[in-house]
Amino acid sequence: MPEAKNSKNPMKKNGKMGSNIRMVAFWLLVVLLGVTALASFATPASDVSEEKDLTEILAYARAEKLDEIIVRGNELLVTPREDAELPKMVSMKDPAGTLQEQGFGEVINEGKVRVRIEEPVNLWESILDIAIYVVPVILILLFFAYMMRQAQSMNNQSMGFGKAKARLYGNEKKRVTFKDVAGNEAAKQDLAEIVDFLKKPKKYEALGAKIPRGVLLAGDPGTGKTLMARAVAGEAGVPFFSISGSEFAEMFVGVGASRVRDLFGKAKKNAPSIIFIDEIDAVAHKRDARGGAGREDEQTLNQILVEMDGFDNESGVIVVAATNRVDMLDKALLRPGRFDRHVNVTLPERKDRVAILKVHFKDKPTESDVNLDALAAKTAGSSGADLANIANEAAITAARGGRKIITNADVTEAFERVAIGPERKSKVMNEEERKITAYHEAGHAVVGHVLPDSDPVHKVTIIPRGRTGGVTWFLPPEDRSYKNIYELKDVLARAMGGREAEKIVFGPDGVTTGASSDLKHVSELAREMVTEEGMGNKLRNQVFNTSEVNFFGDRAKAYSEKTAETIDVEIESLAKEATMRAEAVLKANKKFLDELARQLLEKETLEEKEVAAVLKGAALPVVAKLHR
Ligand code: ADP
Ligand code: ZN
Ligand code: MG
């Protein structure tokens, strides 16, 4: 496969109730039921059950030494006044009748003993009776335990439900300042100005300038928005209260709004101060974007708006928010007086990438052959987070190899690991697989090398990494944001080069599943060209909007079925053309293909210069040329 991207795995928070709580609840239930059941058995007494002469009992009753006689089913329970050696429980048929017969009537009438008739106890009935009272209590207890846990995990320390955790940055051991943020000069300047507002409000007021209330940091994930906000805190020297939108998303009804109130209350009390709401899109997505869902988010969002509207010019609180998705934000947030200042944080350009790499390699011992400029050149499109990741991986790789200093090989390994996934040293391919992979990758390389508008081949390898069998890298000579139709068509053709090489060498039935990601890439890119870039073979300069999401959450087609068919035909036409060109190039240059595959099998990895040496003299056949 040609270009490789690292897959992002956002860490999902685990909202599952801990098994600890469930264990506790279970034992609580067992103990409660056990205790109550025992208690119900133990009425007056149950330890003795020997049968004794009723006359003896009667004698005691006459002497007024009995407190009470209880008749319960077939049992007679006796409670003596002071402990006579009396049985406490006697079993017999029809105890009430027996008492009558035995002449108890007289003593009872004289008031010398009381007799009470009780319903016989049914174990299950009594358990049910108890359960009716106990179960709801347990459920309520469980619910509270669960809430407490939630609240704790949101806070990392227990606090009231409605209390926002005031994370005060700037006092930590490792204070972040603008020095730690490389590149993004424009954004840093904007933020420095905000800091100045807070420090010297008089200067601005004297000139009649309105102090901004809300600043929105917008940009791709990993571009350093959170880092920059922390740097603001480090620079400002004013209290900095921070909370993340995703934390709100986990809260119970009403809690989000009350947290916002609490957060703003604290900030005002400590003014001048800064509130930072990270990932604000988590609460402030367009109200209709989720089909009217998220009442709780809406309450939270409304509360934020209410609080911001309540600021007066002297409140001295500035709200900074960050988002990866400005397009998803509720428009109400962007109105004047709210987040009306926008700071765009962009993916780093080459010189910024060098600067970021320098920041992250600063405290790491590196060999003199480590070339950060070259690494920056290879990492077009990477975010600051990706680069930080490479630096870290390089250190780990060196440590794993038992080295004290990071070598260039460690850096290269780290770069490839971050971009594609770790090398699968353990999985050995059999000879057949290796041969197929070698031809497949050689196919990509030959087509890419020969086509006039393709980026040069940077490296070819048949060492498996991540889920891919091998990789062919193409690297643009410099950063470019735009590609023209010829370049894109060459991308399509070189992507087909892998499978076409397999076909030519092993026959039409010899193709493998190794090309599936290439095919996917081709159909996605072809679709994008036709529907979004107006780059079809016939459909030109027209775009077909497929990104509107309709009421049902489906992508709405803003075009007819007939156009849809035409689009499919166009995509097919691009894919066919690419296949045809790849095939033509490979057939015309079969001996170069063979030689490259042979060298790959021998060396496993070939660098840019080696590839160029092997393919010297390979030529573009006329049929693969595009009409311009
Ligand atoms: P975002 O909030 O935009 O998704 P982060 O601020 O969380 O990105 O960035 C993640 C990490 O990437 C930072 O902690 C830092 O190590 C690194 N990073 C990102 N941008 C830069 C930069 N401009 N300079 C230095 N390091 C950066
Ligand atoms: Zn491939
Ligand atoms: Mg962030």
Side-chain angles (χ1 to χ4, degrees):
M1 49 168 297
E3 275 101 3
K5 271 237 154 189
N6 58 330
S7 61
K8 304 243 153 77
N9 262 328
M11 292 244 289
K12 278 261 149 71
K13 275 205 189 147
N14 191 350
K16 210 175 64 183
M17 189 164 74
S19 56
N20 276 352
I21 286 206
R22 248 179 274 155
M23 280 301 286
V24 170
F26 174 74
W27 286 113
L28 203 69
L29 192 82
V30 168
V31 169
L32 271 172
L33 284 180
V35 166
T36 29
L38 269 180
S40 70
F41 279 124
T43 2
S46 66
D47 42 345
V48 192
S49 67
E50 93 194 64
E51 207 157 331
K52 272 254 177 156
D53 203 348
L54 269 177
T55 48
E56 203 184 330
I57 297 175
L58 183 58
Y60 270 93
R62 282 228 175 83
E64 294 186 48
K65 284 187 173 165
L66 293 188
D67 200 340
E68 203 181 27
I69 296 173
I70 299 165
V71 177
R72 181 193 290 156
N74 285 340
E75 285 165 358
L76 200 69
L77 302 159
V78 182
T79 38
R81 275 233 168 101
E82 55 241 81
D83 203 353
E85 278 177 15
L86 262 184
K88 285 170 188 152
M89 190 169 101
V90 182
S91 298
M92 66 189 66
K93 271 189 205 138
D94 185 18
T98 316
L99 286 180
Q100 199 74 40
E101 280 167 24
Q102 298 288 329
F104 274 74
E106 193 189 318
V107 276
I108 295 168
N109 288 341
E110 285 167 12
K112 289 180 172 166
V113 72
R114 280 179 291 137
V115 172
R116 197 146 56 91
I117 316 274
E118 272 187 15
E119 285 294 313
V121 212
N122 176 320
L123 178 61
W124 285 112
E125 247 172 49
S126 55
I127 288 180
L128 267 178
D129 279 355
I130 295 157
I132 284 171
Y133 295 101
V134 171
V135 167
V137 172
I138 290 177
L139 283 179
I140 289 169
L141 281 177
L142 274 179
F143 180 67
F144 270 99
Y146 178 62
M147 291 242 287
M148 292 303 285
R149 265 179 67 94
Q150 282 263 325
Q152 276 188 12
S153 69
M154 287 180 297
N155 276 346
N156 295 328
Q157 47 174 269
S158 49
M159 276 189 141
F161 284 137
K163 294 272 160 67
K165 191 194 170 228
R167 251 168 309 179
L168 271 165
Y169 282 130
N171 304 329
E172 320 148 74
K173 258 187 265 152
K174 262 191 81 190
R175 213 173 90 165
V176 176
T177 64
F178 282 141
K179 271 203 213 77
D180 299 300
V181 188
N184 267 312
E185 295 305 328
K188 274 196 280 187
Q189 209 169 334
D190 283 352
L191 289 173
E193 202 175 296
I194 307 292
V195 172
D196 203 44
F197 272 132
L198 281 178
K199 283 184 165 167
K200 304 169 200 141
K202 292 276 175 300
K203 181 171 117 189
Y204 293 89
E205 277 161 24
L207 290 165
K210 263 211 165 141
I211 293 173
R213 292 175 185 178
V215 181
L216 187 66
L217 286 170
D220 287 328
T223 46
K225 299 179 295 297
T226 307
L227 182 73
M228 245 182 250
R230 294 182 61 204
V232 169
E235 298 275 342
V238 302
F240 184 88
F241 299 90
S242 144
I243 195 158
S244 170
S246 59
E247 291 171 43
F248 286 121
E250 288 172 4
M251 289 180 191
F252 287 95
V253 180
V255 176
S258 88
R259 279 223 182 176
V260 170
R261 224 173 291 130
D262 187 68
L263 183 68
F264 278 76
K266 275 202 189 114
K268 277 184 209 160
K269 229 178 277 160
N270 290 290
S273 61
I274 296 170
I275 293 175
F276 176 51
I277 307 175
D278 206 354
E279 295 167 38
I280 196 171
D281 39 313
V283 279
H285 49 80
K286 277 182 198 144
R287 286 172 222 214
D288 52 1
R290 279 201 216 153
R295 252 178 49 81
E296 171 61 7
D297 292 349
E298 210 168 295
Q299 282 183 11
T300 308
L301 172 60
N302 282 338
Q303 192 62 38
I304 293 175
L305 296 178
V306 166
E307 296 287 348
M308 288 186 78
D309 290 346
F311 283 171
D312 45 41
N313 217 11
E314 279 94 57
S315 65
V317 179
I318 288 183
V319 188
V320 179
T323 180
N324 302 332
R325 305 287 316 265
V326 195
D327 56 316
M328 286 290 290
L329 288 189
D330 197 304
K331 288 285 171 291
L333 267 177
L334 307 176
R335 273 192 221 122
R338 293 168 177 174
F339 291 98
D340 45 7
R341 278 220 167 192
H342 290 197
V343 175
N344 283 323
V345 187
T346 52
L347 285 174
E349 285 172 23
R350 183 161 163 177
K351 70 170 168 34
D352 292 339
R353 290 200 297 275
V354 177
I356 294 172
L357 285 169
K358 277 189 181 145
V359 166
H360 289 282
F361 275 102
K362 194 178 59 196
D363 299 327
K364 298 182 172 70
T366 46
E367 200 83 73
S368 57
D369 67 340
V370 171
N371 187 343
L372 295 184
D373 286 308
L375 180 56
K378 290 200 282 192
T379 43
S382 298
S383 68
D386 295 333
L387 298 174
N389 205 358
I390 291 175
N392 191 45
E393 279 289 334
I396 291 173
T397 309
R400 207 186 284 131
R403 286 178 289 282
K404 291 221 165 64
I405 296 181
I406 300 170
T407 64
N408 199 39
D410 294 328
V411 173
T412 307
E413 162 92 29
F415 159 63
E416 289 170 7
R417 185 186 291 265
V418 169
I420 323 168
E423 210 168 307
R424 276 187 315 193
K425 282 237 171 72
S426 53
K427 197 201 170 223
V428 274
M429 279 200 277
N430 65 34
E431 259 326 287
E432 186 64 16
E433 281 176 326
R434 282 186 81 232
K435 198 171 168 201
I436 294 173
T437 307
Y439 267 101
H440 179 104
E441 298 306 331
H444 286 310
V446 170
V447 175
H449 179 84
V450 165
L451 292 180
D453 296 292
S454 165
D455 299 321
V457 182
H458 173 66
K459 181 172 183 168
V460 193
T461 174
I462 58 166
I463 297 173
R465 280 169 191 279
R467 287 178 50 230
T468 68
V471 187
T472 303
W473 301 76
F474 297 91
L475 283 177
E478 77 249 12
D479 287 8
R480 270 177 314 175
S481 310
Y482 301 112
K483 280 198 152 122
N484 65 34
I485 186 168
Y486 303 111
E487 288 166 323
L488 289 177
K489 282 189 166 185
D490 284 4
V491 170
L492 292 178
R494 79 189 185 205
M496 291 310 300
R499 166 159 287 210
E500 286 313 302
E502 288 182 44
K503 256 196 219 165
I504 290 169
V505 178
F506 305 99
D509 298 329
V511 296
T512 64
T513 54
S516 64
S517 69
D518 294 332
L519 300 183
K520 195 161 158 254
H521 182 199
V522 166
S523 62
E524 280 170 4
L525 179 57
R527 175 169 293 277
E528 193 185 314
M529 286 169 71
V530 173
T531 60
E532 284 166 42
E533 314 295 351
M535 290 183 178
N537 276 329
K538 291 209 191 69
L539 288 175
R540 281 284 166 97
N541 309 324
Q542 245 195 87
V543 293
F544 303 92
N545 195 350
T546 52
S547 57
E548 291 264 299
V549 178
N550 73 7
F551 180 76
F552 301 104
D554 296 329
R555 276 167 185 268
K557 288 199 191 98
Y559 45 79
S560 68
E561 282 305 313
K562 195 153 170 266
T563 311
E565 263 170 43
T566 319
I567 288 173
D568 287 342
V569 170
E570 283 286 272
I571 292 169
E572 168 116 34
S573 146
L574 284 176
K576 274 209 175 120
E577 184 185 53
T579 311
M580 182 277 288
R581 294 179 73 213
E583 190 187 349
V585 169
L586 291 171
K587 281 191 170 151
N589 296 287
K590 176 73 167 35
K591 64 171 191 215
F592 294 100
L593 177 69
D594 288 335
E595 177 57 16
L596 190 58
R598 194 190 64 75
Q599 293 215 13
L600 275 173
L601 282 170
E602 188 188 304
K603 297 187 195 162
E604 298 206 319
T605 302
L606 294 180
E607 302 289 341
E608 186 162 345
K609 286 196 187 99
E610 296 169 292
V611 174
V614 174
L615 298 184
K616 196 160 187 280
L620 179 68
V622 183
V623 276
K625 271 195 184 136
L626 293 170
H627 303 286
R628 306 201 180 208

